[in-house]
Amino acid sequence: MIAYMPSYARSLAPAYLTFCNVVGGVISPLLANLFLHYAFDQWVERHWEDVQFERYADDIVCHCKTEREAIKLQSVLTDRFNGPLE
């Protein structure tokens, strides 16, 4: 398992902690689900229409047709989650 916090999420951490929402708290899954809905689900549906995916909480499986497509999608998603949201 790899623990990962994107750079833009780290910048939000102080505001997040100000509200006393502890990681693993009751609201955390809801906030994560809302964030991924906009940062991942809708983005993939707009930019990668041919790629089907399933997401359960923060686990995501993308179904690519070729290995080349999978490598490209992985690269694009890495850039997306390391950079600012559009």
Side-chain angles (χ1 to χ4, degrees), residues 4-33:
Y4 178 70
M5 179 182 277
S7 57
Y8 53 86
R10 284 192 293 270
S11 67
L12 298 175
Y16 183 74
L17 295 174
T18 304
F19 291 102
C20 301
N21 182 18
V22 295
V23 174
V26 222
I27 195 77
S28 293
L30 175 63
L31 293 175
N33 195 38

mmCIF file of all heavy atoms in Angstrom, residues 4-33:
data_model
loop_
_atom_site.group_PDB
_atom_site.id
_atom_site.type_symbol
_atom_site.label_atom_id
_atom_site.label_comp_id
_atom_site.label_asym_id
_atom_site.label_seq_id
_atom_site.Cartn_x
_atom_site.Cartn_y
_atom_site.Cartn_z
ATOM 1 N N TYR A 4 -0.466 8.468 0.034
ATOM 2 C CA TYR A 4 -0.173 9.565 -0.875
ATOM 3 C C TYR A 4 -1.059 10.758 -0.578
ATOM 4 O O TYR A 4 -2.253 10.616 -0.425
ATOM 5 C CB TYR A 4 -0.404 9.082 -2.305
ATOM 6 C CG TYR A 4 -0.177 10.153 -3.335
ATOM 7 C CD1 TYR A 4 1.087 10.620 -3.601
ATOM 8 C CD2 TYR A 4 -1.247 10.703 -4.019
ATOM 9 C CE1 TYR A 4 1.294 11.598 -4.536
ATOM 10 C CE2 TYR A 4 -1.046 11.684 -4.958
ATOM 11 C CZ TYR A 4 0.232 12.125 -5.214
ATOM 12 O OH TYR A 4 0.423 13.095 -6.137
ATOM 13 N N MET A 5 -0.446 11.928 -0.473
ATOM 14 C CA MET A 5 -1.205 13.168 -0.344
ATOM 15 C C MET A 5 -0.695 14.121 -1.414
ATOM 16 O O MET A 5 0.472 14.504 -1.393
ATOM 17 C CB MET A 5 -1.034 13.800 1.031
ATOM 18 C CG MET A 5 -1.811 15.104 1.165
ATOM 19 S SD MET A 5 -1.599 15.933 2.753
ATOM 20 C CE MET A 5 -2.787 15.045 3.717
ATOM 21 N N PRO A 6 -1.547 14.483 -2.390
ATOM 22 C CA PRO A 6 -1.118 15.380 -3.455
ATOM 23 C C PRO A 6 -0.659 16.722 -2.895
ATOM 24 O O PRO A 6 -1.073 17.131 -1.819
ATOM 25 C CB PRO A 6 -2.369 15.557 -4.306
ATOM 26 C CG PRO A 6 -3.336 14.548 -3.851
ATOM 27 C CD PRO A 6 -2.929 14.100 -2.498
ATOM 28 N N SER A 7 0.192 17.409 -3.653
ATOM 29 C CA SER A 7 0.752 18.674 -3.184
ATOM 30 C C SER A 7 -0.334 19.699 -2.867
ATOM 31 O O SER A 7 -0.236 20.412 -1.885
ATOM 32 C CB SER A 7 1.724 19.235 -4.216
ATOM 33 O OG SER A 7 1.069 19.401 -5.451
ATOM 34 N N TYR A 8 -1.399 19.779 -3.678
ATOM 35 C CA TYR A 8 -2.442 20.756 -3.391
ATOM 36 C C TYR A 8 -3.230 20.369 -2.146
ATOM 37 O O TYR A 8 -3.750 21.221 -1.466
ATOM 38 C CB TYR A 8 -3.370 20.974 -4.587
ATOM 39 C CG TYR A 8 -3.964 19.721 -5.150
ATOM 40 C CD1 TYR A 8 -5.119 19.185 -4.633
ATOM 41 C CD2 TYR A 8 -3.355 19.057 -6.209
ATOM 42 C CE1 TYR A 8 -5.659 18.017 -5.150
ATOM 43 C CE2 TYR A 8 -3.886 17.907 -6.730
ATOM 44 C CZ TYR A 8 -5.035 17.398 -6.198
ATOM 45 O OH TYR A 8 -5.565 16.249 -6.706
ATOM 46 N N ALA A 9 -3.300 19.099 -1.819
ATOM 47 C CA ALA A 9 -3.976 18.680 -0.589
ATOM 48 C C ALA A 9 -3.137 19.055 0.628
ATOM 49 O O ALA A 9 -3.669 19.432 1.662
ATOM 50 C CB ALA A 9 -4.249 17.187 -0.602
ATOM 51 N N ARG A 10 -1.807 18.977 0.500
ATOM 52 C CA ARG A 10 -0.926 19.371 1.609
ATOM 53 C C ARG A 10 -1.120 20.843 1.931
ATOM 54 O O ARG A 10 -1.089 21.242 3.087
ATOM 55 C CB ARG A 10 0.526 19.072 1.268
ATOM 56 C CG ARG A 10 0.872 17.615 1.368
ATOM 57 C CD ARG A 10 2.382 17.412 1.311
ATOM 58 N NE ARG A 10 2.949 17.751 0.014
ATOM 59 C CZ ARG A 10 3.083 16.892 -0.983
ATOM 60 N NH1 ARG A 10 2.706 15.638 -0.837
ATOM 61 N NH2 ARG A 10 3.602 17.268 -2.123
ATOM 62 N N SER A 11 -1.339 21.666 0.911
ATOM 63 C CA SER A 11 -1.534 23.090 1.162
ATOM 64 C C SER A 11 -2.852 23.355 1.874
ATOM 65 O O SER A 11 -3.022 24.378 2.517
ATOM 66 C CB SER A 11 -1.467 23.882 -0.138
ATOM 67 O OG SER A 11 -2.566 23.548 -0.968
ATOM 68 N N LEU A 12 -3.796 22.429 1.764
ATOM 69 C CA LEU A 12 -5.080 22.576 2.451
ATOM 70 C C LEU A 12 -5.047 22.007 3.864
ATOM 71 O O LEU A 12 -5.957 22.219 4.635
ATOM 72 C CB LEU A 12 -6.187 21.862 1.659
ATOM 73 C CG LEU A 12 -6.444 22.385 0.256
ATOM 74 C CD1 LEU A 12 -7.474 21.516 -0.438
ATOM 75 C CD2 LEU A 12 -6.914 23.814 0.295
ATOM 76 N N ALA A 13 -3.999 21.275 4.194
ATOM 77 C CA ALA A 13 -3.935 20.591 5.484
ATOM 78 C C ALA A 13 -4.132 21.519 6.677
ATOM 79 O O ALA A 13 -4.882 21.183 7.589
ATOM 80 C CB ALA A 13 -2.629 19.807 5.608
ATOM 81 N N PRO A 14 -3.499 22.717 6.735
ATOM 82 C CA PRO A 14 -3.731 23.583 7.902
ATOM 83 C C PRO A 14 -5.204 23.963 8.068
ATOM 84 O O PRO A 14 -5.734 23.934 9.166
ATOM 85 C CB PRO A 14 -2.865 24.805 7.617
ATOM 86 C CG PRO A 14 -1.800 24.301 6.707
ATOM 87 C CD PRO A 14 -2.474 23.242 5.870
ATOM 88 N N ALA A 15 -5.876 24.306 6.968
ATOM 89 C CA ALA A 15 -7.299 24.642 7.063
ATOM 90 C C ALA A 15 -8.103 23.421 7.481
ATOM 91 O O ALA A 15 -9.050 23.517 8.253
ATOM 92 C CB ALA A 15 -7.805 25.170 5.720
ATOM 93 N N TYR A 16 -7.723 22.286 6.970
ATOM 94 C CA TYR A 16 -8.388 21.026 7.308
ATOM 95 C C TYR A 16 -8.267 20.747 8.806
ATOM 96 O O TYR A 16 -9.222 20.411 9.462
ATOM 97 C CB TYR A 16 -7.744 19.915 6.481
ATOM 98 C CG TYR A 16 -8.336 18.543 6.637
ATOM 99 C CD1 TYR A 16 -9.561 18.233 6.071
ATOM 100 C CD2 TYR A 16 -7.662 17.552 7.333
ATOM 101 C CE1 TYR A 16 -10.096 16.969 6.184
ATOM 102 C CE2 TYR A 16 -8.184 16.279 7.459
ATOM 103 C CZ TYR A 16 -9.403 15.995 6.880
ATOM 104 O OH TYR A 16 -9.926 14.735 7.002
ATOM 105 N N LEU A 17 -7.068 20.954 9.348
ATOM 106 C CA LEU A 17 -6.844 20.696 10.769
ATOM 107 C C LEU A 17 -7.511 21.737 11.659
ATOM 108 O O LEU A 17 -7.879 21.449 12.775
ATOM 109 C CB LEU A 17 -5.344 20.630 11.063
ATOM 110 C CG LEU A 17 -4.607 19.466 10.395
ATOM 111 C CD1 LEU A 17 -3.110 19.587 10.647
ATOM 112 C CD2 LEU A 17 -5.127 18.140 10.906
ATOM 113 N N THR A 18 -7.682 22.961 11.151
ATOM 114 C CA THR A 18 -8.333 24.006 11.919
ATOM 115 C C THR A 18 -9.749 23.588 12.321
ATOM 116 O O THR A 18 -10.225 23.927 13.389
ATOM 117 C CB THR A 18 -8.401 25.318 11.101
ATOM 118 O OG1 THR A 18 -7.088 25.664 10.713
ATOM 119 C CG2 THR A 18 -9.025 26.434 11.901
ATOM 120 N N PHE A 19 -10.403 22.832 11.470
ATOM 121 C CA PHE A 19 -11.754 22.396 11.752
ATOM 122 C C PHE A 19 -11.794 21.139 12.621
ATOM 123 O O PHE A 19 -12.842 20.577 12.850
ATOM 124 C CB PHE A 19 -12.530 22.138 10.452
ATOM 125 C CG PHE A 19 -12.810 23.398 9.697
ATOM 126 C CD1 PHE A 19 -12.052 23.726 8.594
ATOM 127 C CD2 PHE A 19 -13.805 24.259 10.106
ATOM 128 C CE1 PHE A 19 -12.296 24.897 7.900
ATOM 129 C CE2 PHE A 19 -14.062 25.431 9.416
ATOM 130 C CZ PHE A 19 -13.305 25.756 8.308
ATOM 131 N N CYS A 20 -10.634 20.694 13.085
ATOM 132 C CA CYS A 20 -10.520 19.540 13.988
ATOM 133 C C CYS A 20 -11.078 18.265 13.382
ATOM 134 O O CYS A 20 -11.685 17.449 14.064
ATOM 135 C CB CYS A 20 -11.187 19.825 15.330
ATOM 136 S SG CYS A 20 -10.485 21.243 16.159
ATOM 137 N N ASN A 21 -10.909 18.095 12.110
ATOM 138 C CA ASN A 21 -11.352 16.869 11.458
ATOM 139 C C ASN A 21 -10.163 15.930 11.398
ATOM 140 O O ASN A 21 -9.278 16.097 10.584
ATOM 141 C CB ASN A 21 -11.872 17.169 10.055
ATOM 142 C CG ASN A 21 -12.378 15.918 9.393
ATOM 143 O OD1 ASN A 21 -12.641 14.926 10.058
ATOM 144 N ND2 ASN A 21 -12.500 15.966 8.090
ATOM 145 N N VAL A 22 -10.141 14.955 12.274
ATOM 146 C CA VAL A 22 -9.010 14.040 12.328
ATOM 147 C C VAL A 22 -9.079 13.034 11.189
ATOM 148 O O VAL A 22 -10.152 12.649 10.749
ATOM 149 C CB VAL A 22 -8.957 13.291 13.677
ATOM 150 C CG1 VAL A 22 -8.689 14.257 14.808
ATOM 151 C CG2 VAL A 22 -10.237 12.525 13.924
ATOM 152 N N VAL A 23 -7.901 12.642 10.706
ATOM 153 C CA VAL A 23 -7.842 11.616 9.681
ATOM 154 C C VAL A 23 -8.415 10.343 10.284
ATOM 155 O O VAL A 23 -8.059 9.950 11.389
ATOM 156 C CB VAL A 23 -6.390 11.399 9.209
ATOM 157 C CG1 VAL A 23 -6.311 10.237 8.255
ATOM 158 C CG2 VAL A 23 -5.856 12.668 8.581
ATOM 159 N N GLY A 24 -9.315 9.718 9.583
ATOM 160 C CA GLY A 24 -9.969 8.531 10.109
ATOM 161 C C GLY A 24 -11.240 8.873 10.869
ATOM 162 O O GLY A 24 -11.924 7.995 11.373
ATOM 163 N N GLY A 25 -11.554 10.157 10.945
ATOM 164 C CA GLY A 25 -12.788 10.571 11.618
ATOM 165 C C GLY A 25 -13.991 10.240 10.756
ATOM 166 O O GLY A 25 -13.883 9.822 9.607
ATOM 167 N N VAL A 26 -15.150 10.466 11.308
ATOM 168 C CA VAL A 26 -16.389 10.086 10.620
ATOM 169 C C VAL A 26 -16.621 10.868 9.334
ATOM 170 O O VAL A 26 -17.161 10.334 8.385
ATOM 171 C CB VAL A 26 -17.617 10.328 11.529
ATOM 172 C CG1 VAL A 26 -18.606 9.208 11.441
ATOM 173 C CG2 VAL A 26 -17.234 10.583 12.956
ATOM 174 N N ILE A 27 -16.179 12.109 9.287
ATOM 175 C CA ILE A 27 -16.414 12.932 8.106
ATOM 176 C C ILE A 27 -15.373 12.685 7.006
ATOM 177 O O ILE A 27 -15.607 12.987 5.842
ATOM 178 C CB ILE A 27 -16.460 14.437 8.500
ATOM 179 C CG1 ILE A 27 -17.049 15.303 7.391
ATOM 180 C CG2 ILE A 27 -15.100 14.934 8.892
ATOM 181 C CD1 ILE A 27 -18.535 15.230 7.294
ATOM 182 N N SER A 28 -14.221 12.119 7.344
ATOM 183 C CA SER A 28 -13.137 11.927 6.367
ATOM 184 C C SER A 28 -13.571 11.165 5.116
ATOM 185 O O SER A 28 -13.264 11.598 4.005
ATOM 186 C CB SER A 28 -11.943 11.228 7.016
ATOM 187 O OG SER A 28 -11.361 12.066 7.972
ATOM 188 N N PRO A 29 -14.272 10.024 5.236
ATOM 189 C CA PRO A 29 -14.684 9.316 4.010
ATOM 190 C C PRO A 29 -15.617 10.154 3.133
ATOM 191 O O PRO A 29 -15.519 10.110 1.909
ATOM 192 C CB PRO A 29 -15.405 8.072 4.525
ATOM 193 C CG PRO A 29 -14.909 7.882 5.909
ATOM 194 C CD PRO A 29 -14.608 9.262 6.426
ATOM 195 N N LEU A 30 -16.475 10.933 3.744
ATOM 196 C CA LEU A 30 -17.390 11.779 2.979
ATOM 197 C C LEU A 30 -16.615 12.856 2.221
ATOM 198 O O LEU A 30 -16.838 13.077 1.029
ATOM 199 C CB LEU A 30 -18.425 12.427 3.904
ATOM 200 C CG LEU A 30 -19.370 13.429 3.242
ATOM 201 C CD1 LEU A 30 -20.222 12.748 2.181
ATOM 202 C CD2 LEU A 30 -20.239 14.099 4.279
ATOM 203 N N LEU A 31 -15.672 13.505 2.901
ATOM 204 C CA LEU A 31 -14.872 14.531 2.240
ATOM 205 C C LEU A 31 -14.020 13.941 1.127
ATOM 206 O O LEU A 31 -13.900 14.523 0.048
ATOM 207 C CB LEU A 31 -13.982 15.247 3.266
ATOM 208 C CG LEU A 31 -14.716 16.094 4.294
ATOM 209 C CD1 LEU A 31 -13.738 16.644 5.317
ATOM 210 C CD2 LEU A 31 -15.488 17.214 3.624
ATOM 211 N N ALA A 32 -13.431 12.786 1.370
ATOM 212 C CA ALA A 32 -12.624 12.120 0.341
ATOM 213 C C ALA A 32 -13.486 11.753 -0.863
ATOM 214 O O ALA A 32 -13.069 11.919 -2.011
ATOM 215 C CB ALA A 32 -11.956 10.873 0.913
ATOM 216 N N ASN A 33 -14.686 11.270 -0.613
ATOM 217 C CA ASN A 33 -15.589 10.889 -1.697
ATOM 218 C C ASN A 33 -15.989 12.111 -2.524
ATOM 219 O O ASN A 33 -16.004 12.060 -3.758
ATOM 220 C CB ASN A 33 -16.820 10.180 -1.141
ATOM 221 C CG ASN A 33 -17.580 9.452 -2.228
ATOM 222 O OD1 ASN A 33 -16.990 8.880 -3.125
ATOM 223 N ND2 ASN A 33 -18.899 9.486 -2.140
#
